[in-house]
Amino acid sequence: MSHLNLNPKSIAIVGASHTPGKVGYNTLRNILVSCYKGAVYPVNPKGGEILGLKCYSSLLEIKNKIEMAVITTPAVLVPSVIADCAKKNVETAVVISSGFSEVGRPDLEKELLKVKGDVRIIGPNVLGIKNPWGPLDAAFSYVMPKKGGIGLISQSGALLLGMAHLANEEAIGLSLIVSVGNKIDVDDTDLIDYFNEDPHTKVIAMYLEQVNNGDRFIKAAKRSKKSIVAVKAGRSEAGLRAAASHTGAMGGSDKIYDSAFRQAGITRAFSVTELFDYANALALMPKVRGSRIGIVTNGGGLGITIADACESLGLEVPQPSSEILKRLRDPVPKEIKPGNPADLGGLANFSDYREAGKALIEDNKIGGVIMALVQTGLTKLEEYTSATIEVARRGKELGKPTIGCWMGGKQIRDMREILAESEVPIYPSVSRAAKVMAMLCSCYTK
Amino acid sequence: MSHLNLNPKSIAIVGASHTPGKVGYNTLRNILVSCYKGAVYPVNPKGGEILGLKCYSSLLEIKNKIEMAVITTPAVLVPSVIADCAKKNVETAVVISSGFSEVGRPDLEKELLKVKGDVRIIGPNVLGIKNPWGPLDAAFSYVMPKKGGIGLISQSGALLLGMAHLANEEAIGLSLIVSVGNKIDVDDTDLIDYFNEDPHTKVIAMYLEQVNNGDRFIKAAKRSKKSIVAVKAGRSEAGLRAAASHTGAMGGSDKIYDSAFRQAGITRAFSVTELFDYANALALMPKVRGSRIGIVTNGGGLGITIADACESLGLEVPQPSSEILKRLRDPVPKEIKPGNPADLGGLANFSDYREAGKALIEDNKIGGVIMALVQTGLTKLEEYTSATIEVARRGKELGKPTIGCWMGGKQIRDMREILAESEVPIYPSVSRAAKVMAMLCSCYTK
């Protein structure tokens, strides 16, 4: 079997169309729009030119090596295209075309497998792939994620697009997005192995509706050097009904997935928001040693609600050691008693916020710190941003995570971009920040 | 006792300062910046002019009626200012000044109560009030919320500012924000009564650390015609320690608050995000009859995860009645089986989204609908926005709530503003939308 290659030097788009709006046109356009640096060969028996590129009548007519074929022809034509891919030694075929088992034509899928030879097939019935490091957007709806460390696998096409937009909105970087569709050849298990070898991927994130071969999947997850976070959708009766699980799946019961995930060391998330929250924290931060964390805040109320949420999830927010309490005397205003949460009051400046954060992260009793902030309008958010980056840097030296929980409006969104560039994860709500800290902790103790 | 008046026709700022950056300058400036339409009288014994306004040497020097005094003088001077307020028949004194019981000077608070006469005192140690309907921003850090139906009470100053920014960011309208501080006179109970008479307030939202008189509070909540949502911070050991509860409080145990809230019909939230999510839904939407809800989605995966989250919170996502299933045949693509969630696929247009939503909201079995959407880039978000507004309109005719769960990037934020103007609450995450639906449901059945 040939090497699965999702960062190709050359691509043919088989089924490239002259008509804007058609999948075969939009996919070709999106590859070009993404500033893909490799060679691009549109294939359409009608010939001519599309978007300024010469159109080939068939794959076999192209003289040069083709590493990836993106296929958008009608389903009935796909078997012969795959046969051509095999002849031409194409490494990876991304079959965007739909009209297979999802509409009652599993026979067509069997044909593909019969003729594929060494070709690795993604799909059919996929949205495509998006590779920000390529760069390459080989999908029929355009959105290019930022470069980052999360490898994303999705069994839902529309959701995959939403996730790409969401990642950009949340300033989260991705290494590669793969739509897996009907998974007749390349499945989640192959992708776990692929991402393990991918130099840009730090964490693997998956949206799953069912796993075809549970044993293989668990084995791949167990041998994965990289953390895996997964949403397994279809937990409820209505959800299961909607997911309409396919034959050969690992089993319908949610409990089976739960125990399989635990066995395989997969962190379970229950929504796409949680999937990104967890994956991003795991990509950027070390895990928590123990379950005791520190909180720094410029707003007393925010600190209290974070402490409440953390303790309700099994974390402890202990009083700092006496030496650290002494260090907190300076950044904490004189009318407030220093402690944990360390409440710095609304007028805290760069130095207060940095010193309090450093004091807590350097406390031997404390495994990680949440830098909490409310937008008060009384000081510059840039000051808190830089202070947080410095605390996080110190935390990394000590092998302890620092995350932000910042509440407010538009300006906080801007700061989030800066924090993301410095690889500090930041959350806009108390429950999201507390859950991430608890996740970082349970991962460690596992 | 005089009438509590938080929408005054005239204001004196006692302690107005000539120095930018000082509380007494910034507060005066913010009142002017907020385009307050009433008369403004700076008071400072030095006289002169501040920001183009004549400065009076004392409250008593002003000839005209003063409805509200905002006080920023040092704490030791406040008693004599309050005595002047009493003489001048000022209705409401907002004491921004700090330096009272929070720094061990309860004696100064007793003095205020001794001389206050008929004056209603807010504070001391407050940030001020913000009244978007006034308009009036009488606080020392400026941020004007949008006009809306949520009356907000906060015992935390910095958090109050963060909440104002957050409300704007989330396109949530407020009727009035009041910082209650040390609550020596006007407390949460008085404000519940005030908001009950306020024509703009539809829902009362509170951030509380402790209640001074539990019985009075519960009675006011019970007689409230308007829904009350509250965060009671300090549930955990660390949170309680940080909240450092005061003497006379209703009791430290979180369980006491929990049962008191239940008894009084107060909906409990556990963070500021939840506080706004719940309050906004209660302000804009009817409650759910029963616990059965419908879900419309253009992304299968999103629909499934929402169904999962709803069922985990006790809601049902039932199959629609046969008549409704027939109506769904048209908007649902032919390769997908119609059901609930109604999965319309990524290419759904205005009409599909509207018709599916209307079909579910008109189903007698269903009490409310979540219009779910992923940003796919394949169709215009404006189409889904208008369709959602039409479904919500139909829902209101039937006394059923419609909320949105929209996942994606920046463009969804823009749509959120339009949906907010049409009074449709929208949430960017599955868990927030599901929790809101469950809250709307448990309120009804209570």
Side-chain angles (χ1 to χ4, degrees), chain B residues 6-340:
Chain B
L6 301 176
N7 193 22
K9 288 195 193 69
S10 51
I11 299 184
I13 298 86
V14 187
S17 164
H18 292 80
T19 314
K22 290 228 170 188
V23 170
Y25 177 93
N26 288 2
T27 305
L28 171 61
R29 181 203 59 199
N30 293 345
I31 291 170
L32 300 174
V33 167
S34 64
C35 300
Y36 176 63
K37 289 179 207 127
V40 181
Y41 304 91
V43 176
N44 183 321
K46 285 180 197 152
E49 248 191 24
I50 306 179
L51 289 158
L53 293 173
K54 184 200 159 180
C55 217
Y56 293 79
S57 63
S58 89
L59 257 180
L60 303 178
E61 198 202 322
I62 305 167
K63 296 264 157 50
N64 299 323
K65 162 86 182 154
I66 301 292
E67 292 189 2
M68 176 181 281
V70 177
I71 301 165
T72 63
T73 60
V76 288
L77 303 180
V78 177
S80 77
V81 177
I82 293 291
D84 284 355
C85 287
K87 272 182 220 150
K88 182 105 188 83
N89 292 319
V90 167
E91 292 164 358
T92 310
V94 177
V95 184
I96 289 180
S97 320
S98 57
F100 293 84
S101 61
E102 81 281 7
V103 295
R105 294 295 305 271
D107 56 307
L108 283 174
E109 291 177 357
K110 278 182 198 142
E111 272 193 66
L112 296 193
L113 292 174
K114 218 179 287 170
V115 300
K116 77 180 252 320
D118 283 346
V119 181
R120 298 307 311 266
I121 296 177
I122 301 217
N125 187 28
V126 297
L127 197 107
I129 69 165
K130 292 173 185 284
N131 184 341
W133 290 96
L136 169 62
D137 192 329
F140 62 88
S141 184
Y142 185 81
V143 48
M144 185 52 95
K146 294 180 216 295
K147 284 179 201 171
I150 300 174
L152 185 60
I153 303 164
S154 174
Q155 202 175 338
S156 171
L159 197 59
L160 181 145
L161 290 167
M163 286 195 273
H165 286 286
L166 182 67
N168 283 341
E169 169 73 358
E170 300 247 328
I172 289 173
L174 306 181
S175 56
L176 179 66
I177 292 186
V178 186
S179 169
V180 290
N182 299 1
K183 303 197 262 198
I184 62 164
D185 177 28
V186 172
D187 67 4
D188 316 281
T189 307
D190 297 296
L191 288 166
I192 289 172
D193 290 338
Y194 179 87
F195 279 129
N196 257 289
E197 300 303 319
D198 176 44
H200 299 300
T201 301
K202 290 177 181 170
V203 173
I204 303 164
M206 331 179 87
Y207 171 84
L208 280 173
E209 290 176 6
Q210 101 274 6
V211 169
N212 291 327
N213 183 328
D215 281 348
R216 248 189 97 228
F217 178 76
I218 290 172
K219 276 183 196 145
K222 274 189 177 168
R223 72 174 167 259
S224 171
K225 293 166 300 203
K226 298 175 184 177
S227 297
I228 303 175
V229 186
V231 173
K232 160 64 183 71
R235 289 183 289 144
S236 63
E237 211 182 296
L240 260 178
R241 200 176 58 228
S245 60
H246 301 140
T247 330
M250 201 166 80
S253 160
D254 191 61
K255 279 188 188 148
I256 296 177
Y257 279 96
D258 224 35
S259 86
F261 281 12
R262 206 168 298 125
Q263 205 187 325
I266 296 173
T267 299
R268 189 159 184 186
F270 292 101
S271 69
V272 165
T273 307
E274 257 180 51
L275 183 72
F276 278 139
D277 282 356
Y278 292 172
N280 196 38
L282 287 167
L284 304 183
M285 283 291 152
K287 292 169 184 171
V288 181
R289 287 171 296 186
S291 60
R292 290 181 295 184
I293 63 136
I295 299 168
V296 175
T297 184
N298 72 331
L302 183 62
I304 298 167
T305 48
I306 294 175
D308 286 347
C310 285
E311 293 209 352
S312 79
L313 295 171
L315 295 169
E316 287 172 74
V317 186
Q319 277 294 60
S321 54
S322 55
E323 181 211 343
I324 301 297
L325 275 175
K326 259 182 239 159
R327 283 177 61 187
L328 288 173
R329 187 57 282 174
D330 193 42
V332 171
K334 67 176 191 318
E335 62 276 15
I336 303 177
K337 216 173 134 191
N340 181 24

Side-chain angles (χ1 to χ4, degrees), chain A residues 214-258:
Chain A
D215 281 347
R216 250 187 97 228
F217 178 77
I218 290 172
K219 275 182 197 145
K222 273 190 178 169
R223 71 174 167 261
S224 170
K225 294 166 299 204
K226 298 174 184 178
S227 298
I228 303 175
V229 187
V231 172
K232 160 66 183 67
R235 288 183 289 144
S236 62
E237 211 182 295
L240 261 177
R241 200 174 61 226
S245 61
H246 301 139
T247 329
M250 200 165 80
S253 160
D254 190 60
K255 278 188 189 152
I256 296 177
Y257 278 97
D258 224 34

Side-chain angles (χ1 to χ4, degrees), chain A residues 8-10 31-32 34-40 132-136 147:
Chain A
K9 289 198 191 71
S10 53
I31 291 170
L32 300 175
S34 65
C35 301
Y36 175 64
K37 288 180 208 127
V40 181
W133 289 96
L136 170 63
K147 283 180 202 170

